[in-house]
Amino acid sequence: MEARVPGPVFPCSADDFLGLWSRSYVEDPIGSEQKNEVQVYWIQAPSCFVDIRIPRSRPDIKLDAGFKAVSPSELLALSTQKGFCGRTTAVWDPNAHPSHRCTFTWLRSFDFQPFTGMLDIGLVSFLDESKTDLVEYGVIGDDYKEQWHREVFPTEGICSLALLKESSSPIDASELTHIDTSAHRGYLVCCGSRFMYMIPRKEELPTQSSLSEMVTSCVQSDFSEGDKEAVLNKYLNCEVSFGRVVAKQGEAIFNFQVELSTVPTQQGLTLESTQFVAQHTAHGIIDGSSAFWVQTVPPTPLTPHCSYRLWMKLDHSYSSDSPFGRLFR
């Protein structure tokens, strides 16, 4: 079998991949022109990951009136976005061919695009001992090469939270004893001062379907305007957002500044501390996790009613004197 991973192969484990990564380029198929036409970021935490992929050519789409005011070409642009989250595994086999010694699998719990029926598996290798840059090759019929650059190392602190519940009414701490903490409905990950989260759609899309074709079919249908809006909301109302955390001086609360999102109207917004993981609702041990927070989400055109999200801490490594560290004590 032809060796794909160049140069020396450095041993790796799951912990070696923690941090914030940006994609430098992709060759698809291998040997073709190296392209960087999509903004791609991936934050890997010990318990989970979130990945966002937004075409640089995506227009500035206004969703202030919902999807009904969006043109067909803009709807098609939204349907080409990608984002997913879940858990990962890394397997190191020192006895395998050098190009196959580290196999990395992204187990997608939620996906902006329909499930293709194929697992997301890559052969990966660091380019040098600093483990700052990573090359990934596709397997199982995927003929691609991606190179990644680590923007933030986990030494700057890392954490992840799982979404347990969304509610239209405030969530009381007494409800925690009745919530299945193993049923995760989304993830939030932070590394250094960067964050990414995914709030999936309410219903999964059909397996091996094309989101672009589904959107086009809806637009061209003879549905009423109200029915079209409902269907498009079902297809496209799936949020993956990436940005920067800004701490309030001396306080264990912080703001989230969204820089990139599958929901374009989120970009440029600052989610105030009263709206995001600021209210400490409980402190106790349930399934090995010791902290829970409620996020208050103000109404938007896509979510017209104020809602509340209950998050559970999965892991964190921030220092005790950092805003995250104070929050997670």
Side-chain angles (χ1 to χ4, degrees):
M1 186 174 294
E2 179 185 356
R4 285 182 164 183
V5 177
V9 179
F10 301 96
C12 61
S13 66
D15 288 347
D16 290 318
F17 298 92
L18 301 180
L20 165 64
W21 298 85
S22 63
R23 193 175 73 182
S24 304
Y25 67 82
V26 61
E27 293 178 16
D28 188 6
I30 295 173
S32 62
E33 179 186 358
Q34 295 181 356
K35 295 184 178 180
N36 188 23
E37 298 173 348
V38 179
Q39 299 178 79
V40 182
Y41 295 97
W42 154 40
I43 296 183
Q44 181 68 50
S47 297
C48 60
F49 77 94
V50 184
D51 184 303
I52 186 172
R53 305 181 179 215
I54 305 295
R56 297 183 188 277
S57 61
R58 188 190 70 182
D60 181 19
I61 300 172
K62 305 298 184 184
L63 293 174
D64 298 335
F67 294 112
K68 61 185 177 184
V70 179
S71 71
S73 62
E74 291 175 332
L75 290 170
L76 193 60
L78 290 175
S79 73
T80 64
Q81 303 176 120
K82 295 181 180 180
F84 41 92
C85 66
R87 298 178 180 269
T88 52
T89 63
V91 177
W92 169 256
D93 183 357
N95 299 316
H97 187 283
S99 67
H100 287 66
R101 286 183 181 169
C102 190
T103 303
F104 204 89
T105 303
W106 290 264
L107 301 168
R108 303 186 185 186
S109 301
F110 304 102
D111 200 328
F112 187 88
Q113 293 290 331
F115 178 53
T116 63
M118 297 175 59
L119 293 177
D120 187 357
I121 303 176
L123 301 173
V124 295
S125 178
F126 294 103
L127 297 186
D128 57 42
E129 291 181 298
S130 72
K131 299 185 176 179
T132 303
D133 293 283
L134 173 74
V135 64
E136 171 194 343
Y137 291 91
V139 297
I140 314 183
D142 282 340
D143 183 27
Y144 71 85
K145 172 187 175 182
E146 293 177 312
Q147 184 161 318
W148 298 85
H149 176 73
R150 182 154 24 199
E151 302 277 351
V152 183
F153 277 80
T155 50
E156 296 188 33
I158 197 163
C159 72
S160 63
L161 296 94
L163 179 63
L164 297 183
K165 179 180 180 180
E166 290 186 281
S167 173
S168 59
S169 57
I171 300 171
D172 187 83
S174 62
E175 297 181 49
L176 291 175
T177 57
H178 306 292
I179 290 176
D180 181 1
T181 57
S182 66
H184 299 170
R185 305 175 187 275
Y187 292 105
L188 162 67
V189 290
C190 301
C191 185
S193 62
R194 309 293 270 171
F195 74 89
M196 199 182 308
Y197 65 85
M198 181 169 187
I199 308 297
R201 55 179 62 82
K202 304 303 180 186
E203 299 179 27
E204 292 186 9
L205 299 176
T207 299
Q208 296 181 317
S209 58
S210 165
L211 181 55
S212 295
E213 290 179 3
M214 293 165 65
V215 168
T216 299
S217 177
C218 176
V219 171
Q220 296 176 347
S221 72
D222 56 3
F223 293 163
S224 68
E225 290 303 310
D227 287 344
K228 282 186 180 181
E229 173 76 5
V231 172
L232 290 171
N233 192 66
K234 176 181 176 181
Y235 290 166
L236 297 173
N237 193 358
C238 176
E239 183 183 359
V240 187
S241 289
F242 168 71
R244 186 178 303 276
V245 180
V246 179
K248 289 192 172 183
Q249 186 67 31
E251 299 182 49
I253 54 177
F254 28 80
N255 297 337
F256 285 66
Q257 295 178 346
V258 178
E259 299 175 358
L260 192 67
S261 180
T262 57
V263 181
T265 48
Q266 292 288 88
Q267 293 180 188
L269 293 183
T270 296
L271 306 180
E272 301 293 339
S273 58
T274 55
Q275 298 170 3
F276 210 101
V277 193
Q279 182 182 353
H280 195 172
T281 60
H283 203 70
I285 303 237
I286 296 181
D287 287 356
S289 186
S290 60
F292 299 81
W293 293 270
V294 169
Q295 171 195 8
T296 304
V297 185
T300 71
L302 300 186
T303 54
H305 304 289
C306 184
S307 62
Y308 302 85
R309 293 174 182 154
L310 175 65
W311 296 90
M312 177 181 73
K313 184 195 74 176
L314 298 176
D315 52 59
H316 97 90
S317 65
Y318 284 91
S319 63
S320 59
D321 60 348
S322 69
F324 281 120
R326 289 194 294 271
L327 186 61
F328 288 134
R329 282 185 305 193

